[in-house]
Amino acid sequence: MAVEAPWPAGDPRVRDLRADFLASLRRAVGDSEGVAVATSGGLDSLAVLSNTVLEQGDQRRVTAVAIEMTDDRGQSNIPYVRRLLEGLGPRCDLRIVPFSQRPAGAPEWHPEGPRLDALPEANRLLVEVAHEAGATVLLTGDGADELLGSGQYLTSAVLRSRGPRALGAYWRDHRGEHHRTAKLEAVGLLAGLVGRRRRAMTYLACSWPELCRNPPHDFLAAPYRDIADSWTNSWIRSLVELHEQHHTSLAAMEAWSDLYPHQRLRTAGLMRNEDPFLDREFSERAKRLPLHRRYDPSHPHAYWRMKSQVIRLMPPGTLAVLPTAKQIFSRAIVDRVDPAELEAKTLLDHGILSHSALRGGLDPMVATRIVEVEQWLSTAVERGYDLVD
């Protein structure tokens, strides 16, 4: 099974990415007279917005488009956007729409497959708002977490480069998702003592335990359940082989897994969609940054320390208005689909989805994927496509 290119070795000469990022923004904007930036209020989209305003705001019309959402702590994302724009001056308009508003149209359908973004209708709404504002390109902060966020398994590198004090902060800031930080970092230190294949399998067991279990796809009907199980097993084997052949450390495996497979979302319609962080030239340059340089213990907030390379992309004078903690919108994402009221007529009629799946306790994230595939498949059938084996 084909997989993406391996993670390259870090180049110690790569320190400052801001010039490369500004070049990526210029390529994304191109000759567009109107530019919109999808702004969530997080560091990634604020980096795109602030640099776009300062670089392009005197020559082009720049509009920040934002959907007001409430995070898991009950706080809005809009105050951070307003504070940043107030500091940047009047060279950018701000258009806000509530999360409850529905788009006039549906996300653009593509024959390659369904959209797998967390909020496809919200992304369509952003496009419509940007289009009304006269924009012909929509920029996003997508991919920054995956490309520049600080990961696990960096104990030895942080200790060598920053010393024991920084290592304490690194351990406090990095909380293992499936295991305690101490266990993960200890495994990372000991991984060099085992063979390459066992090292790759150890990484998957630590960071992707759900792949090791390969849970059955009970929501699918036969024969699709067996096909999905077989494909998953083949994909897992391909991951082990890639890491075995190309990556000597668990940190490099983690960096690769953060970015691949990462679906670069197609436009939701009406205009171009560009992701400056995922620009090929910029991402190739960023991947050569030594991994331990993604973490900087000198910052006063854990969010900044773990996103230090994004902080370095910010224009001078913006730190005072940046958010100091990451906002999480998991409830808003999960709550948009009620598994108990899920309908998937096309999938059921064509024998792809199991009838029993809709009667059981379906995982909310699986339910969202079913909705997305159902919408894509029902549109395909309406357009005259036939299902074949």
Side-chain angles (χ1 to χ4, degrees):
M1 180 177 296
V3 290
E4 295 284 350
W7 198 263
D11 185 342
R13 296 169 296 178
V14 178
R15 293 179 178 271
D16 190 356
L17 296 171
R18 189 156 191 269
D20 300 280
F21 186 64
L22 295 180
S24 173
L25 283 175
R26 288 191 287 270
R27 288 191 291 271
V29 170
D31 58 1
S32 300
E33 294 185 4
V35 181
V37 180
T39 312
S40 66
L43 289 176
D44 304 335
S45 61
L46 292 180
V48 175
L49 177 62
S50 59
N51 283 294
T52 301
V53 172
L54 291 177
E55 286 281 302
Q56 308 285 342
D58 291 331
Q59 297 85 30
R60 308 172 197 274
R61 182 178 181 181
V62 180
T63 304
V65 292
I67 292 179
E68 184 165 23
M69 298 175 65
T70 301
D71 68 12
D72 292 355
R73 298 173 299 172
Q75 298 179 2
S76 168
N77 59 325
I78 297 302
Y80 298 109
V81 183
R82 291 192 185 278
R83 289 176 62 193
L84 179 72
L85 292 180
E86 288 170 1
L88 293 174
R91 289 180 289 177
C92 180
D93 298 326
L94 173 61
R95 301 207 176 188
I96 303 170
V97 291
F99 183 64
S100 58
Q101 183 171 328
R102 296 300 180 189
E108 190 170 281
W109 186 87
H110 296 271
E112 305 97 292
R115 294 179 62 87
L116 297 178
D117 43 337
L119 298 169
E121 289 190 347
N123 289 333
R124 171 67 189 196
L125 182 58
L126 283 178
V127 167
E128 293 177 355
V129 173
H131 183 68
E132 291 172 2
T136 54
V137 61
L138 178 68
L139 309 185
T140 83
D142 192 34
D145 259 340
E146 294 81 0
L147 182 65
L148 295 176
S150 177
Q152 298 270 183
Y153 309 113
L154 294 173
T155 284
S156 59
V158 171
L159 183 61
R160 286 195 307 269
S161 63
R162 297 285 191 170
R165 193 174 212 176
L167 185 61
Y170 169 80
W171 275 44
R172 287 191 300 271
D173 292 340
H174 291 73
R175 299 174 181 174
E177 183 177 356
H178 302 288
H179 304 280
R180 292 182 298 110
T181 299
K183 181 176 182 178
L184 292 175
E185 294 301 321
V187 170
L189 290 171
L190 297 173
L193 302 178
V194 301
R196 297 177 70 103
R197 185 169 186 81
R198 178 170 292 184
R199 189 183 311 155
M201 296 175 71
T202 298
Y203 164 71
L204 289 180
C206 289
S207 291
W208 297 83
E210 66 274 24
L211 294 184
C212 300
R213 291 191 297 268
N214 188 14
H217 300 84
D218 292 336
F219 52 90
L220 294 174
Y224 300 101
R225 185 182 310 159
D226 292 338
I227 293 172
D229 288 343
S230 176
W231 186 94
T232 302
N233 285 328
S234 177
W235 181 62
I236 293 171
R237 285 195 298 270
S238 74
L239 292 184
V240 172
E241 291 170 2
L242 177 131
H243 292 315
E244 176 188 2
Q245 295 171 15
H246 297 287
H247 299 143
T248 58
S249 71
L250 269 61
M253 297 177 194
E254 180 89 338
W256 185 93
S257 298
D258 284 344
L259 194 60
Y260 301 111
H262 182 71
Q263 183 196 41
R264 190 166 188 174
L265 295 175
R266 300 178 293 263
T267 177
L270 300 177
M271 67 180 65
R272 286 193 298 124
N273 186 98
E274 297 290 346
D275 312 307
F277 285 104
L278 295 176
D279 171 85
R280 181 175 292 277
E281 291 185 37
F282 177 74
S283 62
E284 288 301 318
R285 176 74 169 171
K287 284 193 293 185
R288 296 198 172 277
L289 181 80
L291 293 174
H292 68 272
R293 289 203 182 129
R294 296 181 179 189
Y295 182 77
D296 187 347
S298 66
H299 291 302
H301 312 290
Y303 187 29
W304 292 13
R305 292 193 289 269
M306 297 179 68
K307 302 277 289 190
S308 65
Q309 287 300 322
V310 176
I311 291 289
R312 290 172 68 92
L313 300 179
M314 297 291 181
T318 58
L319 293 188
V321 299
L322 295 179
T324 59
K326 184 178 179 65
Q327 289 186 287
I328 306 296
F329 303 97
S330 59
R331 293 178 186 171
I333 293 172
V334 170
D335 288 350
R336 73 186 179 94
V337 175
D338 185 353
E341 299 181 1
L342 184 64
E343 294 183 2
K345 185 177 185 303
T346 308
L347 289 168
L348 290 171
D349 288 349
H350 288 85
I352 298 173
L353 191 67
S354 167
H355 283 270
S356 61
L358 301 186
R359 295 195 296 268
L362 198 61
D363 182 275
M365 293 307 296
V366 173
T368 61
R369 290 292 183 247
I370 289 176
V371 169
E372 289 151 9
V373 176
E374 169 69 18
Q375 290 174 343
W376 177 82
L377 186 61
S378 62
T379 302
V381 172
E382 291 172 2
R383 292 179 176 226
Y385 285 85
D386 293 323
L387 271 69
V388 295
D389 292 336

